[in-house]
Amino acid sequence: MDVRRKRRLTFFTIGLIFLLSGIEYAVILPTIWRYLQTLEAPAYFLGLALSAFSFTGLLAGPAFGHWSDRTLTTKNIILFANTFEIIGNFMYFMGFSKWLLLSSRYWHWSGSSIFGFLTRNTAPKDRSTVFAAVMACRQAGLLIGPAFNIFLRLCDFRVGPFTVNKYTSPGLFMCLLWILLQFVVLFMYWDIPHENQRGNRVAAEQEEVETQQEVLEPEEDEEIRPLFSPNELTGSYGTVTSVHSRDSSMANGDVNCAPVEEQVEDGSFKSFSASREFLREEVVVLLAAQFITLFNQTALETMVTPLTQQFFGFGELENSIMYCVCGVEVIAGFLFVRWLSRRVAERVVLAVGLAICNVSCVWCLIFLANPQGGFPWQLTEFIVGVFLQVLGLPFVAVAQVSLFSKITSEKTQGFSQGIRRSVGGLATILGPLWAGGLTSNLYVMLGLMMGLLALLTIMLGVSYERLVEPVRVLDDPPAAEAED
């Protein structure tokens, strides 16, 4: 099988992984509140259960990302990590107690290694498009997921000691889907090295052969060979020198020819500094964007189901339809962002998304914190608030992950994406916890969210000029030689 076909099947499998992660979230979210109520769980358990879903990803993200950077492979990582999904969903299906249900949400993993793989195997100019497509797969799962609830809610039978009903059936259903995905990954996913990696390997082999030939050549050839060849003249930034040229240069008194090749080919983590990488102004802004947008998103998601139950009397079917409609909007948003990112810079997309999020939070603070009017007016206020919140999500999500992949080192992308996912995981832990205890005091809950968005807006305005892809001279030695 040729490399191109393997590449297509691998990207198709990645899309399936994100599709299933979206389906799982959409299948469980509409029913988990009622599920907890049947187990006599207090109200704050909803926030605990939703935040627990991200806790394991908080820890696993950097670990799996570092594993991916070390081995430059992701297939074994995915196969290993998917077992967590299988175990967690089966525990959710068992559902003997509220504590078992809560612990089942901890068996979840982060996709940081996949984002590292995508960064290494895509050109910077195509990265926003690829990330938008992958994230759209997850949103497609959020769209399809509620449709499964339409027939899962009809389940009412027993399998041995286990009861299969509308609350436990999502766990069994997702357990079976993740098992099927294991076989898909096994047979349709390949760790295809990036073209640069293949080129570096070939260049290293050629250099080794040339070195061996130099050792085997007769000594009299050394007298015939000129002291310097044009390619061995050193002193320009980015040129690569051989061992022979360095020795010749030192013999003639030139000792300032530091070999760039040794600096570039040094191990990824030998010269890696976390403080130098992640405490830069532009990186802090993007990590803050990741945290604040996900904190606000998960807080609003936690608030939605109790709010619709209190004011509109929504059940599982109505919530599933609502999430299905939101999924259509988000997919349309990702498609639009994919088109827009080819025409404008990512920082412009990020600024547009942040402006929409600010308008959404102001609307919710004014109209949803204390709904006024009759049922039609309250429903309209709710629909507009949810529409604005969902509308801004694709802009911020795609722009910040694409920019983050460009301003951080490509050699440690797995670890860097793990840090980014962990920051997002921390947000998705704290967001539900914050909203779960304040469903009856929306002014306080939404006020903090508005304050965080205002802070992020100021940070973006101050650092706007720095949110661009840096020029990487060392990553492109041939270009540097051509300039000489």
Side-chain angles (χ1 to χ4, degrees), residues 15-16 18-20 22-27 30 136-152 173-174 177 320-321 323-328 331:
L16 281 181
F18 280 86
L19 179 72
L20 258 65
I23 291 176
E24 178 177 1
Y25 196 77
V27 164
C137 289
R138 186 178 188 276
Q139 298 306 319
L142 294 174
L143 170 63
I144 298 171
F148 289 115
N149 272 332
I150 295 176
F151 71 84
L152 288 177
F173 177 70
M174 290 309 307
L177 285 184
S320 297
I321 294 174
Y323 284 113
C324 185
V325 174
C326 290
V328 173
I331 291 177

Side-chain angles (χ1 to χ4, degrees), residues 148-217:
F148 289 115
N149 272 332
I150 295 176
F151 71 84
L152 288 177
R153 67 190 184 92
L154 302 177
C155 295
D156 188 12
F157 56 91
R158 296 185 65 86
V159 177
F162 306 113
T163 301
V164 182
N165 55 32
K166 60 183 178 181
Y167 302 125
T168 61
S169 57
L172 179 62
F173 177 70
M174 290 309 307
C175 180
L176 296 175
L177 285 184
W178 284 109
I179 291 174
L180 291 176
L181 183 67
Q182 288 287 75
F183 291 100
V184 175
V185 174
L186 191 62
F187 296 108
M188 296 178 62
Y189 190 99
W190 285 270
D191 286 312
I192 303 172
H194 185 40
E195 292 181 0
N196 291 341
Q197 298 170 13
R198 292 196 295 269
N200 292 339
R201 188 182 298 114
V202 172
E205 293 175 355
Q206 292 178 349
E207 182 180 357
E208 182 179 357
V209 171
E210 292 174 358
T211 303
Q212 292 176 356
Q213 291 177 351
E214 290 179 0
V215 173
L216 295 176
E217 285 179 352

Side-chain angles (χ1 to χ4, degrees), residues 54-74:
S54 303
F55 182 77
T56 306
L58 176 68
L59 303 177
F64 285 159
H66 180 68
W67 182 4
S68 174
D69 290 332
R70 284 288 190 182
T71 61
L72 294 179
T73 60
T74 52

Side-chain angles (χ1 to χ4, degrees), residues 45 53 61 63 102 108 117 122 152 199 217 271 283 324 351 355 434 436 468 480:
F45 252 69
F53 194 76
L102 178 62
H108 181 67
F117 171 85
T122 55
L152 288 177
E217 285 179 352
S271 58
V283 176
C324 185
W434 174 255
V468 292

Side-chain angles (χ1 to χ4, degrees), residues 413-430:
Q413 262 314 292
F415 182 75
S416 298
Q417 293 291 343
I419 294 295
R420 185 189 64 81
R421 299 275 289 187
S422 293
V423 171
L426 181 63
T428 56
I429 290 171
L430 298 178

Side-chain angles (χ1 to χ4, degrees), residues 339-403:
W339 171 84
L340 184 64
S341 61
R342 296 175 179 175
R343 291 160 175 80
V344 299
E346 282 98 343
R347 59 181 180 177
V348 177
V349 179
L350 180 61
V352 171
L354 186 57
I356 297 174
C357 290
N358 275 281
V359 173
S360 169
C361 199
V362 170
W363 178 277
C364 293
L365 191 60
I366 295 174
F367 294 103
L368 296 186
N370 186 20
Q372 302 294 328
F375 179 85
W377 180 244
Q378 291 182 358
L379 185 60
T380 302
E381 294 172 341
F382 175 78
I383 291 174
V384 172
V386 171
F387 173 81
L388 291 174
Q389 174 64 27
V390 173
L391 181 63
L393 176 63
F395 292 85
V396 179
V398 173
Q400 59 93 6
V401 69
S402 178
L403 268 175

